[in-house]
Amino acid sequence: MNALVVPQAIVDEMFALFDAAPLESAGVLFCYQARGKQSVKLLAQEFVAYADCDYIERQSDRIAIDPIAVNDRIQSARRAGLSIVQVHTHPFSDDGAFSDADTRGEQEMLPVIFRRVPGTLHGTLVLGRKTSAARIYTSARAWAPARIVTVGKNLRRLDFISGRDEDRYARSYRALGKDAQVAMQETHVGIVGLGGLGSQVAEQLAYLGVQNVVMLDHDTLEESNLNRVVGALPEDIGESKVDVAAARYRSILPGAHIDPIVGSALDEEYARSLVDCDLIFCCTDNHGSRAVLNWIAYQYLIPVIDTGVEIAVDKLGAVSAIAGRVQLLGTGMPCLHCCESLNMKQVREDLLSKEERERDQYIVGGDIPQPAVVTLNGVVASVGTTMFLGMTTSLPIQARMQMFNGITGQIRPAESSVKEGCPVCSNVSTVVGRGDSVAAIWRKKT
C-alpha cells in the first residue's frame, strides 16, 4: 500500500490548523517521491498553511481558497519538481474521512495540478483530531488510499487501523492497548542480516504479531552458524538464511506476509525493496551495508534501528570487552557518521564491485570471523525490539540509543548529537527526505 510519510515536526505544523476551529482550515504539503518494489511514497518536505486572507469562504464544513493563492503553491511545486498534497481539516470530527464534497473538489482540482506539475504523483489529506485519511493520485483520475506514517523519535500511523480481538495477544493488550498493538502489527518492517542478531529480531517480531516483513541477506547457512542462528537446524545447512528465517517466522505467525530476498543491501536491485518498509532493523556487521542503511534512514525517511555486538579478545585469547549497541537512525537524530560508528575504509571496500576489488592493490585478504555468542546477541536483539515497541506503541520507553556492557551487566542510555555540517543528517544536508530525487550510495546494476 502506498504511503505518505511526514516528519513529526511537520505533523505538528499541520495540526496547528485546528487552532482555527470550528472553522475549517487548509494548507499544502510539498513532497519528494520514492519508489519501492511494491509501493510508492510521498515524503513530506515542507508544509505551508493558507493565510486568513487566502480564504474566499470559510465555514465549519467547507472552504474556498483564492485561485491566486492556490496557483502560487502550484508554481512553487513546479519550479522545485515537487509533489503537492492538498491538506484540509474536518474540525467537526475526530476521525478524518473524505466526504462526497471532498471527492468532487478533487475531481476539479487534480487535473489542473497534473497539467501544471507533470511527471510526478500528487495527493490529498483530510485531518481529523484523532485519525486522518490520505489518497495518492497516480494520474488526474486514478487514486488509491495511502497509509499516513509519522517519523521522528516515534513511528506512528495517523490513518485509521481496524483490528479484531485475538486471544493470543490478550496479555499484550494489557500493556500496549489494543489500538497500539494493532498499529504496531501493521508496521512494515525490514530486517537486513538474518544471522545471529537478525534471526532473534525476526523471532521476536513474529511473536509480537508483525504481519509484513522484508528479509534481506545474501548468505547461506553454514555449520558454524548453528551456534547462534535461532530456528536453524542441521538439516538447514546450505539453505539461504532468509528462507530459514522466513520458515521460522511463518511457523510462529501463519499468514504473515514475508518477502525473503537473497541479496545484498549494497545493491540497489535488492535494497530497493527496503524502500517499501516503515522501519528497518540493521543486523549486519558489514560496514558497507550499514553505510547504505544509514543513508536510507535519512534520504527515504525510514527509521533504522542499528544493532551490533562486539567481543574483544586480547593477544592471549582472553575476552577483554563485551559491548553491544542499539541506535535509532532517522530524521532529527545523529547518523552513524556523526557517532563515528563507520569504518570508512571498510565502507569503501565493501561498496566496490567484485571486479573493482580484484583490481585494487590495497585490499588484502578477506573478512576475519568474529567471536559470537547467542545469549549476547539475544540481549541486544531484545533491546532493539523493545525500542521498536517504544516507537510504535504507547509504552513509555524513551531511550533511542543504548549501550550494553556484557562484563558489568549494564544497559545504559546514551546521548549523541548531530555534527554541524554533516552531509547526511544535519540541517544543511541535501539528502534528507529527498527520496529518488538524489542518488543513493548503493551500487547500481550494470
Side-chain angles (χ1 to χ4, degrees), residues 318-374:
V319 172
S320 57
I322 301 171
R325 57 180 296 282
V326 177
Q327 178 180 352
L328 178 64
L329 311 173
T331 178
M333 288 166 286
C335 70
L336 293 179
H337 291 287
C338 294
C339 298
E340 299 181 352
S341 297
L342 288 173
N343 182 318
M344 297 311 297
K345 179 178 180 293
Q346 290 186 32
V347 170
R348 173 189 168 276
E349 293 178 2
D350 291 340
L351 286 168
L352 293 176
S353 66
K354 180 180 178 181
E355 293 76 15
E356 289 169 330
R357 289 177 65 88
E358 290 173 350
R359 292 196 302 266
D360 196 318
Q361 60 181 316
Y362 296 104
I363 298 177
V364 180
D367 295 332
I368 300 174
Q370 299 299 309
V373 179
V374 65

Side-chain angles (χ1 to χ4, degrees), residues 66-117:
D66 186 338
I68 295 176
V70 174
N71 187 63
D72 286 345
R73 272 57 170 188
I74 292 175
Q75 291 304 317
S76 294
R78 181 186 178 93
R79 287 191 295 270
L82 294 168
S83 298
I84 290 175
V85 176
Q86 298 183 100
V87 182
H88 72 276
T89 62
H90 279 184
F92 50 83
S93 174
D94 283 342
D95 301 318
F98 288 94
S99 66
D100 291 341
D102 292 333
T103 300
R104 289 193 297 270
E106 291 176 13
Q107 291 171 350
E108 294 177 4
M109 180 56 65
L110 267 297
V112 175
I113 293 175
F114 271 91
R115 280 198 305 270
R116 297 184 183 179
V117 191

Side-chain angles (χ1 to χ4, degrees), residues 34 117-118 190 268 315-316 341 376 397 416 432-433 444:
V117 191
E268 180 183 9
K315 293 180 180 180
L316 299 177
S341 297
L376 302 177
I397 298 169
S416 186
V432 175
K444 291 187 175 293

Side-chain angles (χ1 to χ4, degrees), residues 133-282:
R135 294 169 173 171
I136 291 180
Y137 280 76
T138 54
S139 70
R141 300 297 182 191
W143 62 268
R147 296 177 296 123
I148 311 169
V149 181
T150 71
V151 292
K153 288 189 175 181
N154 295 317
L155 179 72
R156 301 290 165 83
R157 289 276 295 274
L158 293 183
D159 51 310
F160 177 73
I161 302 173
S162 61
R164 60 186 179 84
D165 289 321
E166 296 185 60
D167 289 344
R168 70 182 295 175
Y169 301 116
R171 299 285 286 272
S172 295
Y173 293 154
R174 291 175 178 268
L176 308 179
K178 179 188 171 186
D179 291 345
Q181 170 88 22
V182 172
M184 177 268 294
Q185 291 174 323
E186 290 297 316
T187 304
H188 293 211
V189 177
I191 308 173
V192 178
L194 274 300
L197 268 172
S199 62
Q200 297 207 45
V201 168
E203 184 176 68
Q204 293 189 31
L205 293 178
Y207 280 113
L208 288 171
V210 175
Q211 295 287 335
N212 298 284
V213 181
V214 174
M215 297 180 179
L216 179 60
D217 195 312
H218 72 283
D219 224 346
T220 56
L221 190 75
E222 300 176 356
E223 185 175 7
S224 62
N225 301 139
L226 293 177
N227 76 318
R228 63 191 183 280
V229 176
V230 298
L233 303 173
E235 54 263 36
D236 295 323
I237 293 173
E239 298 292 326
S240 66
K241 288 181 178 178
V242 292
D243 287 336
V244 172
R248 172 64 172 165
Y249 206 105
R250 294 189 182 104
S251 71
I252 298 169
L253 190 64
H257 177 74
I258 312 297
D259 187 8
I261 301 171
V262 180
S264 171
L266 296 170
D267 298 314
E268 180 183 9
E269 62 179 306
Y270 306 116
R272 177 66 66 174
S273 295
L274 298 172
V275 177
D276 294 317
C277 299
D278 299 325
L279 178 141
I280 301 167
F281 281 90
C282 177

